[in-house]
Amino acid sequence: MTPPPDSGSGADARHERILILDFGSQVTQLIARRLRESGVYCEIWPFNAAPEARIRAFDPKGIILSGGPASVTEGESPRAPDYVFAAGLPVLGICYGQQTMCAQLGGQVEGSDHREFGRAFVDVTGDSLLTRDVWHKGAREQVWMSHGDRVTRLPDGFRVVATSEGAPFAAIADDARRFYGVQFHPEVVHTPHGAQLLRNFTHLVCGMRGDWTMGAFRAEMIEKIRAQVGKGRVVCGLSGGVDSSVAAVLIHEAIGDQLTCIYVDHGLMRAGESEQVVATFRDRFNIRLVHRDASDLFLGQLSGVTDPEVKRKTIGRLFIEVFEEEQNRLGGADFLAQGTLYPDVIESVSATGGPSVTIKSHHNVGGLPEGMRMQLVEPLRELFKDEVRALGRELGIPEAIVGRHPFPGPGLAIRIPGEVTREKADLLRKVDTIFLEEIRSAGLYDAIWQAFAVLLPVRTVGVMGDGRTYDQACALRAVTSTDGMTADVYPFDMAFLSRVSNRIVNEVRGINRVTYDITSKPPGTIEWE
Ligand code: XMP
């Protein structure tokens, strides 16, 4: 996915906005999420991609400087563009952002022996617009810190609002210039009042209204899609997942039958999902939908393939072939719609400068090759996942789709270690269905990031009634996560696991043993392949 030349041009002029300059913190995206939750449109730019002209054109109401891994005390460390402090706009520096702000405005930052990582407490020693009605003078408040360096002398004009043991200047304010700094991270949930402090910055300090709502976004985006597409024809690859579904319904609302969706069914979906896609999009939303059952082709080409990466590549290649075939059958199209999200678009600041190791190629079956020469329609590229869900609900897409767990593009193929066959996929679907039914009826679905079954290439001995069995084993996996990058095992109680195990062994002929995968990520990955 290629980012646009200037992602700052995406927002509609009617929305007030905040600019977040990223210094490479792991949690910069959370700043944007917290702001958007309080109705504030914002964008994240790398600190070194924000020349004065670009900032002026973006016309923010305020600027936030993120944290980052560098040390202000090192010569080549990143700095905010000078214009940030000359623009007459409110500025909030967070962690590294506070340190560079102080260093750039004439204060001092030093390395410290007293490093603070994790939960810490600050004493509130003063009042400020940033803390108004949230923190009161004299109170002790919990925050989340992660720093080695600290500010040791404030620039002229600043005063202290809160202090901690490791950071005498844990929160600082220069009310005249509307510059604020915090050493802690208000954007993470471990700073319990952090979201309110950020809201004070946007609403009180910057005077913003909070005009970013899904209803407004929907109406504006429909106009934009109409303006972009004109009388052109659009194709959209549906995967049954949240992003492509929301993109399709939104585009359909804008241009009706100029949109055709193509659903390439590789035969490796969960039980009932293909039928649900057809019922939802064709029957309920009246969207033109090509449903191509290509399971014979996919399963045929997967025959004999056992290597996980070869499985992914085979499926990815066939997906593109089939998609192109169907598109040609339609007589071509002018535009390709994609459910690209904002996290895919944010230009990243690399802390190390080096590429990271590829653990899995993560071929996304919804993704199409660059070589497909069509213009892209990407109505979700300003949104985070939770905003896409909110928009989906706004559009009336059923909860079963909007709230659905992530599902990998290659589908069940990477949950069947060894060769994939139709029989194995059918067997796995039965196990998977029981597991998910039980999770839903226990009311646990929304507390879990992903839950699924894996068909193990192992036969084990069992006893049923008076007889010996020699059947396959399966594994169950359920994890919590916020972004799929790290994950924890979901701690089911034993009664639940026993119930699921009993049902699987009794109801699925061919399975006689059930295990629960208790590996976190890292060191495991979420999928088995
Ligand atoms: P892992 O297994 O790497 O998975 O911990 C992290 C997240 O990515 C999903 N996943 C994939 N998604 N194509 C996809 O579209 C893939 O090849 C693929 N492999 C893993 C996985 O389900 C989890 O949400």
Side-chain angles (χ1 to χ4, degrees):
M1 263 157 251
T2 335
D6 184 346
S7 60
S9 61
D12 188 274
R14 280 171 288 177
H15 290 299
E16 299 173 333
R17 66 223 36 204
I18 286 279
L19 172 60
I20 300 168
L21 291 186
D22 184 21
F23 290 93
S25 159
Q26 299 284 323
V27 289
T28 302
Q29 283 197 22
L30 295 180
I31 306 174
R33 294 184 58 165
R34 294 290 95 78
L35 261 50
R36 297 223 182 161
E37 279 160 16
S38 59
V40 169
Y41 183 81
C42 54
E43 290 188 8
I44 300 173
W45 301 358
F47 71 93
N48 55 2
E52 178 176 336
R54 190 179 175 204
I55 298 179
R56 279 181 184 276
F58 186 58
D59 190 21
K61 292 276 180 214
I63 299 177
I64 296 180
L65 309 176
S66 86
S71 169
V72 170
T73 58
E74 282 158 18
E76 295 292 285
S77 55
R79 291 286 178 267
D82 291 336
Y83 176 68
V84 165
F85 305 111
L89 293 170
V91 180
L92 171 65
I94 295 174
C95 195
Y96 185 86
Q98 182 209 32
Q99 294 165 8
T100 193
M101 176 165 76
C102 286
Q104 290 182 249
L105 296 176
Q108 191 155 11
V109 177
E110 287 174 15
S112 159
D113 293 338
H114 196 114
R115 299 156 78 83
E116 284 179 304
F117 288 100
R119 199 154 65 122
F121 289 88
V122 297
D123 292 311
V124 183
T125 55
D127 298 316
S128 75
L129 220 43
L130 189 69
T131 50
R132 179 171 295 172
D133 294 333
V134 181
W135 283 359
H136 301 283
K137 201 168 160 179
R140 183 151 240 253
E141 297 287 353
Q142 185 185 318
V143 298
W144 194 74
M145 294 271 193
S146 172
H147 68 109
D149 296 350
R150 62 181 183 179
V151 176
T152 51
R153 195 185 70 231
L154 291 181
D156 291 344
F158 278 89
R159 64 193 173 80
V160 184
V161 175
T163 68
S164 78
E165 228 171 285
F169 304 124
I172 56 173
D174 175 341
D175 304 293
R177 287 187 286 183
R178 298 186 296 169
F179 290 169
Y180 296 86
V182 290
Q183 180 57 70
F184 57 87
H185 287 270
E187 66 274 31
V188 304
V189 291
H190 316 287
T191 299
H193 297 137
Q196 288 165 272
L197 298 177
L198 288 169
R199 187 186 166 90
N200 272 358
F201 178 71
T202 55
H203 286 63
L204 296 184
V205 177
C206 303
M208 298 176 79
R209 298 186 298 266
D211 58 2
W212 171 252
T213 63
M214 274 308 135
F217 176 84
R218 171 188 184 173
E220 281 161 27
M221 198 39 78
I222 285 172
E223 289 310 312
K224 277 192 196 173
I225 295 167
R226 287 185 183 143
Q228 184 192 1
V229 169
K231 298 212 174 313
R233 286 192 305 158
V234 181
V235 283
C236 175
L238 267 188
S239 70
V242 183
D243 308 339
S244 61
S245 301
V246 173
V249 173
L250 184 66
I251 295 170
H252 181 254
E253 199 165 297
I255 58 165
D257 282 352
Q258 284 167 260
L259 169 74
T260 305
C261 290
I262 300 176
Y263 173 57
V264 177
D265 186 352
H266 51 28
L268 295 159
M269 296 295 282
R270 294 189 133 129
E273 282 193 347
S274 296
E275 293 78 0
Q276 192 186 25
V277 167
V278 176
T280 306
F281 295 97
R282 187 184 287 159
D283 305 341
R284 173 166 177 172
F285 283 104
N286 272 318
I287 295 178
R288 289 189 173 186
L289 173 70
V290 175
H291 172 203
R292 167 81 180 270
D293 177 355
S295 55
D296 287 341
L297 175 71
F298 279 81
L299 290 164
Q301 299 263 323
L302 284 171
S303 149
V305 176
T306 56
D307 181 272
E309 287 301 283
V310 180
K311 284 182 187 174
R312 280 192 172 79
K313 294 209 164 87
T314 307
I315 293 171
R317 173 176 54 78
L318 291 174
F319 179 87
I320 290 162
E321 276 174 31
V322 175
F323 189 92
E324 282 187 319
E325 222 173 271
E326 288 304 328
Q327 194 205 312
N328 291 338
R329 214 193 294 272
L330 291 170
D334 310 292
F335 296 90
L336 175 68
Q338 290 199 152
T340 312
L341 304 193
Y342 191 46
D344 306 322
V345 176
I346 299 173
E347 302 162 68
S348 61
V349 171
S350 159
T352 56
S356 49
V357 186
T358 302
I359 308 287
K360 301 179 185 183
S361 60
H362 272 218
H363 182 88
N364 189 343
V365 161
L368 290 161
E370 312 260 325
M372 253 187 197
R373 292 246 169 82
M374 278 184 282
Q375 289 186 62
L376 294 179
V377 182
E378 298 180 305
L380 311 181
R381 59 182 293 139
E382 290 167 14
L383 304 186
F384 285 105
K385 190 84 175 188
D386 45 353
E387 294 177 308
V388 173
R389 293 208 161 98
L391 177 61
R393 293 189 181 105
E394 172 90 28
L395 290 164
I397 301 175
E399 196 56 36
I401 292 180
V402 169
R404 183 175 278 176
H405 289 169
F407 185 71
L412 302 181
I414 55 170
R415 295 176 179 174
I416 301 175
E419 187 188 19
V420 180
T421 63
R422 194 180 288 276
E423 294 66 38
K424 287 184 189 174
D426 287 341
L427 195 61
L428 180 57
R429 269 190 275 267
K430 289 183 188 152
V431 176
D432 189 72
T433 300
I434 293 174
F435 187 33
L436 281 153
E437 267 173 23
E438 290 295 330
I439 286 176
R440 284 208 170 85
S441 66
L444 301 175
Y445 189 82
D446 292 336
I448 293 170
W449 167 265
Q450 267 178 296
F452 55 89
V454 180
L455 186 68
L456 301 183
V458 174
R459 294 178 82 190
T460 76
V461 175
V463 49
M464 276 186 103
D466 292 328
R468 174 187 190 272
T469 58
Y470 187 51
D471 285 331
Q472 265 182 278
C474 68
L476 306 179
R477 181 114 170 104
V479 295
T480 56
S481 176
T482 50
D483 54 10
M485 303 294 286
T486 60
D488 280 321
V489 177
Y490 189 79
F492 290 119
D493 62 40
M494 271 316 287
F496 175 87
L497 288 173
S498 307
R499 189 161 66 241
V500 176
S501 163
N502 279 339
R503 272 198 65 191
I504 291 172
V505 174
N506 286 327
E507 295 175 30
V508 185
R509 179 170 281 205
I511 299 285
N512 71 351
R513 192 172 296 268
V514 180
T515 65
Y516 186 50
D517 178 355
I518 55 168
T519 323
S520 62
K521 172 182 181 176
T525 54
I526 295 177
E527 304 290 345
W528 274 43
E529 291 200 324

